[in-house]
Amino acid sequence: MPSVLIFISQLIFLSLLAIGLHYASPRIGLAPLLFMLAGIIGLLNVIELNALVIILPNNIVLRPGGHIFIPVALLILLMIYVVQGTRPAQVAVLGVMGVNSLVFVTLLFLSLYVQFAGSDTQVSGLFTNEAAFNQQFIRGMVASLIAYIADMLILIVVFQGITNYLKWIPKLLVAGIALIVALWIDSIVYNIGAFVGTSNFNLSIPSDILVKTGAGLILTPIIGWYITRIAPHLPNFA
């Protein structure tokens, strides 16, 4: 199916771009990678606002926003944590929260422009589309912010827990396992926060988990190979 191939291609392209920027960080610093992370968070909200949804066979829902950008954002955070250590990872987490909060506040003000426009004022554009920019979207943004915090915490806890206490698990798989578990948490927290009490709640979690698990499986060999084979040889490896 063309949509699935495009999805896989975009996911791999962005992950390899992130790895390339991280690999070059001893020479160019972490700023380009952090800019990419900030851009991903900003683009995620714009794409979700456009409500681009692809329905695959068996009612599997593919969202090019959340199903691609969230796994890549977590991959970037994991690389920073493993190579640079806890402090830079904390800065990255705070940066993600800050960018997402800035986008949320900006969209909130845009909503106020639309809702309180005077009778002699004309307002046009995407944000006037009530089907795309409504209370449900605002609720989804709040849920996504909470989900970011939860899955970033789980990502590091699972990775460090396996590294410290489950040493029999191959190192090539540790990062992928942590990534997949974090994506599960992201799916559960986001869907409960965004859709509980609505007609979409019952069907959204299984499909969302399925697609995010697939994204995690695709990224597992990529991040595992980089963290275990390439990153330890970097001069800034912590």
Side-chain angles (χ1 to χ4, degrees):
M1 291 176 288
S3 297
V4 175
L5 294 177
I6 295 172
F7 169 79
I8 294 174
S9 300
Q10 185 181 7
L11 185 64
I12 293 176
F13 169 75
L14 289 176
S15 63
L16 292 179
L17 176 60
I19 287 175
L21 290 175
H22 187 272
Y23 181 74
S25 63
R27 301 186 303 276
I28 64 176
L30 278 176
L33 183 62
L34 294 177
F35 277 126
M36 178 181 177
L37 179 61
I40 282 176
I41 301 304
L43 286 172
L44 170 63
N45 290 290
V46 172
I47 293 176
E48 292 294 317
L49 178 60
N50 279 277
L52 180 60
V53 175
I54 302 168
I55 309 296
L56 301 177
N58 300 319
N59 291 323
I60 297 175
V61 178
L62 178 63
R63 300 194 337 265
H67 291 157
I68 291 178
F69 289 124
I70 290 177
V72 174
L74 292 177
L75 178 140
I76 292 173
L77 175 66
L78 188 56
M79 287 192 301
I80 294 175
Y81 172 74
V82 171
V83 178
Q84 274 77 27
T86 303
R87 181 58 183 169
Q90 291 174 340
V91 173
V93 170
L94 292 175
V96 169
M97 293 170 57
V99 170
N100 203 51
S101 299
L102 178 61
V103 172
F104 174 77
V105 171
T106 301
L107 292 178
L108 183 61
F109 274 103
L110 291 176
S111 175
L112 294 176
Y113 282 118
V114 174
Q115 294 181 19
F116 294 99
S119 58
D120 58 342
T121 304
Q122 294 184 353
V123 182
S124 61
L126 174 65
F127 297 98
T128 61
N129 182 2
E130 295 182 358
F133 191 62
N134 51 24
Q135 185 178 1
Q136 179 61 50
F137 178 77
I138 297 296
R139 177 178 169 180
M141 282 206 64
V142 175
S144 68
L145 179 59
I146 297 173
Y148 289 152
I149 299 172
D151 44 337
M152 288 178 180
L153 175 63
I154 291 297
L155 177 73
I156 294 175
V157 169
V158 172
F159 178 84
Q160 202 61 57
I162 295 176
T163 301
N164 292 345
Y165 302 108
L166 300 176
K167 298 182 183 297
W168 53 269
I169 295 179
K171 292 183 179 180
L172 280 170
L173 301 179
V174 174
I177 293 173
L179 184 62
I180 291 173
V181 173
L183 289 171
W184 289 345
I185 296 299
D186 180 88
S187 180
I188 293 171
V189 173
Y190 173 77
N191 281 280
I192 289 177
F195 298 114
V196 67
T198 69
S199 58
N200 295 327
F201 178 66
N202 291 332
L203 297 178
S204 59
I205 286 185
S207 175
D208 200 42
I209 288 180
L210 178 63
V211 177
K212 286 180 178 175
T213 300
L217 291 174
I218 293 171
L219 295 181
T220 292
I222 299 175
I223 185 64
W225 167 78
Y226 180 72
I227 286 179
T228 60
R229 298 291 187 268
I230 305 300
H233 301 291
L234 296 177
N236 57 346
F237 185 78

